Amino acid sequence: MKARRRAVVPFVPLAVALFALTGCTGLDFGSGDGAGSPSPSGDTGAPSASPTPSASGSPTATPTPGPTGTASPVAIPTDCRDIVSAGDYEAVFGEVPLNPEGFTTRSGAPFGQVTPTTPPAGATPAEIVRGATTLDCLWRDPNADITFLEVALGAVDPAVGASYLDDLAADGYTCVDIHEGRRCHLTRPNADYPVDESFTRFQRDGVFISVDQADFPTNDLIGRIVDRLWG
């Protein structure tokens, strides 16, 4: 079910709202499965429309140190269309608009490539992970009230990422070892619409992936991204 409206309102990532409730999420990117009764490893549907994806190929970004000096062991893509294979892009995102105008990240920057930031002294693991983001992608119809999916990636010290995932587990996330990494997932009903909103955080080899989504089902999106980056 997709609620629609005429006027466009400013986008506030659902993870920001979750941060206010839990005090430890606060990322403006995410993964998970968002509609109906999704499972942490996949769900039962995806947008049916087919886009014209960009040319496929291996991610072309070169590993670069993040704000804490952490270098990614794999190339983190610089193009949102390159986080999954061309075939997976069509299956997952269909023709849903990518990075529509009028929507910005939590920092106010446009979606797409973002510049990582150096966390302040005494920063929490969540703040460090958030600051390490180098790619932040939003799929959303500008006319939809709630339907969206946001993915972000970055390189982070594995110990910091593990500490952040431990914080999520303490806040009610379900965490499992999967795809040669660790994933934490939470799904809850949206307070205003009859849909679920879902949050997933994943780390492998110092690469951190986050997906937030609502009324936007996917089928093991983390697994598809892992196949793209490590395949």
Side-chain angles (χ1 to χ4, degrees):
M1 174 177 178
K2 296 184 180 180
R4 295 186 176 273
R5 52 173 172 70
R6 295 180 179 275
V8 176
V9 299
F11 174 65
V12 178
L14 288 181
V16 176
L18 189 59
F19 175 70
L21 292 176
T22 66
C24 77
T25 50
L27 300 177
D28 36 304
F29 48 79
S31 164
D33 302 334
S37 301
S39 67
S41 61
D43 56 38
T44 58
S48 58
S50 299
T52 304
S54 59
S56 60
S58 299
T60 56
T62 56
T64 54
T68 58
T70 302
S72 168
V74 296
I76 296 178
T78 57
D79 186 334
C80 293
R81 288 184 174 271
D82 204 27
I83 67 170
V84 296
S85 70
D88 281 345
Y89 190 98
E90 178 177 349
V92 175
F93 303 110
E95 293 182 341
V96 179
L98 170 63
N99 300 336
E101 293 185 7
F103 299 94
T104 62
T105 67
R106 181 179 180 180
S107 66
F111 281 97
Q113 272 191 280
V114 295
T115 302
T117 59
T118 300
T124 64
E127 291 171 330
I128 296 172
V129 171
R130 181 167 62 246
T133 303
T134 56
L135 186 68
D136 197 347
C137 310
L138 175 69
W139 286 266
R140 177 171 182 148
D141 183 341
N143 294 312
D145 280 325
I146 189 64
T147 303
F148 83 95
L149 185 147
E150 185 180 1
V151 179
L153 304 92
V156 68
D157 185 300
V160 174
S163 180
Y164 174 57
L165 293 179
D166 287 344
D167 288 344
L168 294 180
D171 280 330
Y173 278 66
T174 298
C175 299
V176 297
D177 294 327
I178 192 172
H179 301 309
E180 298 184 47
R182 187 158 182 81
R183 184 194 64 207
C184 294
H185 177 90
L186 176 70
T187 295
R188 68 179 185 187
N190 180 268
D192 299 315
Y193 296 91
V195 299
D196 285 339
E197 53 195 37
S198 193
F199 312 88
T200 305
R201 309 292 183 246
F202 176 85
Q203 176 180 246
R204 174 176 168 178
D205 301 333
V207 175
F208 208 92
I209 304 170
S210 177
V211 181
D212 294 347
Q213 59 202 110
D215 193 29
F216 198 128
T218 55
N219 183 8
D220 191 18
L221 180 55
I222 287 291
R224 295 171 189 251
I225 297 173
V226 166
D227 286 345
R228 181 62 165 163
L229 269 61
W230 280 270

